[in-house]
Amino acid sequence: MSASSHPSVTGPGARARIAVALGRAVAGISRLTGRGSGSVIGGRAALRVHPGLLRALSAGREIVLVSATNGKTTTTRLIAAALAADRAVVSNSLGANMAAGIVAALGPTAPGTTAVLEVDERWLPGVLRDTEASTVVLLNLTRDQLDRSQEVRSLAAAWRRCLAETPPHTVIANADDPLVVWAARGAPTVIWVATAQRWLADAVGCPECTGRIEFGPSSWHCTGCDLSRPIPSVTVDDTAIVIDGERSPITLGLPGRINRVNAAFALATAHSLAVPLAPAADGIAAVTEVAGRYRVTTVNGRTVRLLLAKNPAGWHEAIELLAPAPAPTVVSINSRIADGLDPSWLWDVDFEILQGRFVVATGERRHDLAVRLRYAEVDHAVADTVDEAVRICAGRPEHRPGAVIDLAANYTAFQQYFERFGGDR
Amino acid sequence: MTSRDSAVRICVLYPELLGTYGDGGNARVLSRRLAWRDIAAEVHTVGAGEAVPDSCDLYLVGGGEDGPQTQAARELQASGALHRAVDRGAVVFAVCAGMQILGSRFPDADGIDRPGLGLLDCVTMRVDRPRAVGELLTTDATVTGPGGSTVPLGPLTGFENHAGRTVAGSSAIALGRVEVGEGNGDGTEGVVTGRVIGTYLHGPALARNHRLADALLGLVVGADLLTPLDDADVEALRTERQAAARRDRVGSGHDSLHRRRRP
């Protein structure tokens, strides 16, 4: 049963409705007892009484899945904002990106509502199978959570298989990530987006033939087989996103090069779903923060901007967002299960780029970071708490009074700070 | 303490095949520790398919996944350069998958035994137990310095992530004894054959264990002890990680959800 050939007028059946109601009740209890938003635990309860719930809730909907190692939460938000220009949209916008969170997002919505769903990269095959999504957006695939994730190559292979088994109508994919290209290139229609991706260390060995991939300034090809950069139809420059030669000028509310790339994916997705370009671009431009990323807030009276960077690829994009040297910066690293227990990836990040700034290391793995900064010859201090870290930065002679202090954190550290300082959550 | 006319030549082997777990940091650590002592260092990075020089002083082999591990073993075997370098007296430091391929045999991705390089007197076999993933801590370890003296390293700390069990042969000695974690699988950790040293410690190993880093450099420059450096950050990390490993063992804290088998 394909989503497009069975437009549902009745919505999900009685069993699905009961499962959704139960999930909402469990979520409500979770919220009342102060255990968070409850969407994931509610979704889990609903899936337990109705394992086919995701399939039932997906029937008759236009569904867009967004997956990647980095940028999926932001891009999901940008796509939802673009599509909202001409239709009702539902999204799992708090990053609850496995089956339970997705079910929780879809459950309470009207059956015909378009869904834009962020999907954990390991969950993509299962979610694509159940939702039979018409559109799949694939941003990148790089190393993350070294101790528990599958090797990135086996993830690429799983993506490739699922796209062959449940082919979506359209795949929108990164032309500059060889693993993504290899996974997506067999799909019936692929819209390739030029991203000028910076982190390429996970893609030097060809996923097709294990040969060496050679990277040029705006091209790449395998030296052993025919895998090479497809010609992108979507590009991005300093002032516009260009789709099939048509320029859409855009001034983003989000900072940084990487968000221009994320916006290009969003606009291309909207265009492929026949949303007019101008209002879609306006919707994208109006997004100023995503689940606390880039939020400017106060920490004990000092102005701080929250930035998320959780792995080498993410750090190489985040470092350029930081206030320029010599502005002092806080960097916070945890190593809980959601971060990966092994933070040795710190040595894959060129923290040498931070030379000329004073960096305060905090978070549960502040000492690992301090050693990394020592060897990067970055002047630094260690602070046991984020409060102390911000205080140290604010007291530095090179800190301009009133300037925003950047606080860059990996996943669970970021979540802690967002919950504590983020404001209206 | 020591003087050299020429730069210390460090060779990083196949980082794209054996560089998954931050082990590239070992080269950064060694070259900085040399530079801070005004000893010149050159780091040569050799990619898969490229010629391996046999004239370097110190070779670094990192950890990686099963498939690339087998490819690295094949290339090094075909090259012969690492064997020639070891015959000349070069120092080799190999981590995890790198240690496994330097032994006389190791299991590939399908569990089939592959011939290793035979530079370390050990064999690695696949065993039926969950993958060892977590903090690895040894008791006080030592290595033999260039003059035959015993160089104390303190406890070795790192993060392990491997499935194999490694058994040292009669001509090899262990690098340390496990206090927390799996290590080789028999209560020992790491294998030393002459100037070839293997370990399961990621972290990277030399970032967490500065005395081990200096011991490797000491072998190269012919000194048991090098000028001390400011290692306050490393000492703080070592104290914190040793406490974390012991806490982990007794089963408090979130890490215990993942593992763990007592040594």
Side-chain angles (χ1 to χ4, degrees), chain A residues 204-206 208-214 221-227:
Chain A
V204 284
C206 175
E208 177 75 34
C209 74
T210 75
R212 192 167 44 82
I213 292 183
E214 249 175 40
H221 70 277
C222 175
T223 53
C225 70
D226 73 342
L227 189 69

Side-chain angles (χ1 to χ4, degrees), chain B residues 147-262:
Chain B
S149 63
T150 298
V151 179
L153 305 176
L156 299 175
T157 160
F159 192 90
E160 63 181 329
N161 185 349
H162 62 99
R165 180 186 187 110
T166 296
V167 179
S170 55
S171 78
I173 52 171
L175 184 58
R177 292 206 66 79
V178 173
E179 181 185 332
V180 180
E182 186 76 25
N184 294 343
D186 60 358
T188 65
E189 150 50 28
V191 180
V192 181
T193 300
R195 302 179 133 220
V196 182
I197 297 173
T199 179
Y200 275 116
L201 295 161
H202 296 289
L206 302 183
R208 286 221 208 164
N209 302 284
H210 56 300
R211 291 183 197 88
L212 178 57
D214 282 353
L216 298 179
L217 295 176
L219 285 172
V220 170
V221 302
D224 282 352
L225 277 178
L226 299 172
T227 321
L229 298 172
D230 173 6
D231 284 311
D233 282 325
V234 187
E235 293 291 5
L237 172 63
R238 290 173 57 76
T239 303
E240 187 268 327
R241 282 294 94 200
Q242 289 176 61
R246 290 178 184 128
R247 196 170 63 231
D248 186 11
R249 178 181 52 183
V250 297
S252 65
H254 53 265
D255 289 5
S256 61
L257 288 174
H258 256 239
R259 53 181 341 221
R260 89 155 290 140
R261 195 177 120 150
R262 301 277 168 89

Side-chain angles (χ1 to χ4, degrees), chain A residues 17-173:
Chain A
R17 286 200 300 273
I18 292 165
V20 167
L22 173 84
R24 294 177 77 179
V26 170
I29 292 163
S30 171
R31 271 195 303 276
L32 285 174
T33 52
R35 296 195 175 117
S37 80
S39 68
V40 171
I41 189 172
R44 253 183 228 148
L47 278 169
R48 183 150 309 169
V49 295
H50 188 353
L53 186 57
L54 182 53
R55 184 171 287 276
L57 290 172
S58 302
R61 281 181 205 270
E62 184 84 63
I63 291 187
V64 179
L65 303 183
V66 183
S67 200
T69 308
N70 287 317
K72 51 190 178 287
T73 302
T74 298
T75 306
T76 298
R77 178 80 183 81
L78 294 176
I79 293 172
L83 299 187
D86 77 347
R87 71 192 70 191
V89 179
V90 59
S91 185
N92 54 340
S93 54
L94 287 175
N97 61 13
M98 304 185 199
I102 292 167
V103 160
L106 291 179
T109 61
T113 312
T114 296
V116 183
L117 301 173
E118 168 188 342
V119 186
D120 181 279
E121 53 274 33
R122 291 158 298 167
W123 283 74
L124 182 66
V127 172
L128 177 58
R129 190 181 57 237
D130 283 355
T131 58
E132 298 181 356
S134 63
T135 305
V136 174
V137 181
L138 302 175
L139 307 176
N140 52 65
L141 210 41
T142 66
R143 68 184 62 178
D144 189 35
Q145 301 182 22
L146 300 176
D147 62 290
R148 69 165 192 160
S149 264
Q150 295 168 48
E151 182 184 0
V152 290
R153 271 144 217 289
S154 60
L155 276 175
W159 281 15
R160 183 181 166 94
R161 269 195 309 278
C162 80
L163 292 171
E165 285 163 12
T166 317
H169 184 271
T170 308
V171 176
I172 297 160

Side-chain angles (χ1 to χ4, degrees), chain B:
Chain B
M1 296 232 161
T2 180
S3 64
R4 276 175 70 91
D5 299 334
S6 58
V8 172
R9 289 161 53 94
I10 298 169
C11 179
V12 180
L13 287 169
Y14 310 140
E16 75 276 44
L17 299 175
L18 298 172
T20 313
Y21 302 103
D23 297 319
N26 289 328
R28 292 189 198 248
V29 168
L30 292 172
S31 60
R32 287 292 89 204
R33 295 186 78 81
L34 287 166
W36 289 335
R37 293 173 169 123
D38 295 321
I39 301 171
E42 290 172 14
V43 177
H44 301 266
T45 300
V46 176
E50 294 173 11
V52 179
D54 59 11
S55 57
C56 287
D57 301 301
L58 203 165
Y59 292 78
L60 296 172
V61 197
E65 303 287 339
D66 297 345
Q69 173 188 25
T70 308
Q71 189 188 338
R74 212 166 39 227
E75 294 209 11
L76 284 176
Q77 193 71 264
S79 149
L82 193 59
H83 290 87
R84 289 194 298 278
V86 170
D87 287 345
R88 258 196 324 97
V91 175
V92 182
F93 183 67
V95 179
C96 198
M99 168 170 75
Q100 294 179 353
I101 64 172
L102 259 55
S104 47
R105 68 183 154 86
F106 67 95
D108 70 8
D110 303 315
I112 298 163
D113 276 345
R114 297 277 169 187
L117 299 174
L119 294 171
L120 276 175
D121 181 15
C122 65
V123 296
T124 298
M125 56 203 84
R126 182 163 286 192
V127 285
D128 186 23
R129 62 155 170 77
R131 199 174 168 85
V133 182
E135 288 293 319
L136 174 56
L137 176 66
T138 73
T139 57
D140 283 328
T142 58
V143 288
T144 304
S149 63
T150 298
V151 179
L153 305 176
L156 299 175
T157 160
F159 192 90
E160 63 181 329
N161 185 349
H162 62 99
R165 180 186 187 110
T166 296
V167 179
S170 55
S171 78
I173 52 171
L175 184 58
R177 292 206 66 79
V178 173
E179 181 185 332
V180 180
E182 186 76 25
N184 294 343
D186 60 358
T188 65
E189 150 50 28
V191 180
V192 181
T193 300
R195 302 179 133 220
V196 182
I197 297 173
T199 179
Y200 275 116
L201 295 161
H202 296 289
L206 302 183
R208 286 221 208 164
N209 302 284
H210 56 300
R211 291 183 197 88
L212 178 57
D214 282 353
L216 298 179
L217 295 176
L219 285 172
V220 170
V221 302
D224 282 352
L225 277 178
L226 299 172
T227 321
L229 298 172
D230 173 6
D231 284 311
D233 282 325
V234 187
E235 293 291 5
L237 172 63
R238 290 173 57 76
T239 303
E240 187 268 327
R241 282 294 94 200
Q242 289 176 61
R246 290 178 184 128
R247 196 170 63 231
D248 186 11
R249 178 181 52 183
V250 297
S252 65
H254 53 265
D255 289 5
S256 61
L257 288 174
H258 256 239
R259 53 181 341 221
R260 89 155 290 140
R261 195 177 120 150
R262 301 277 168 89

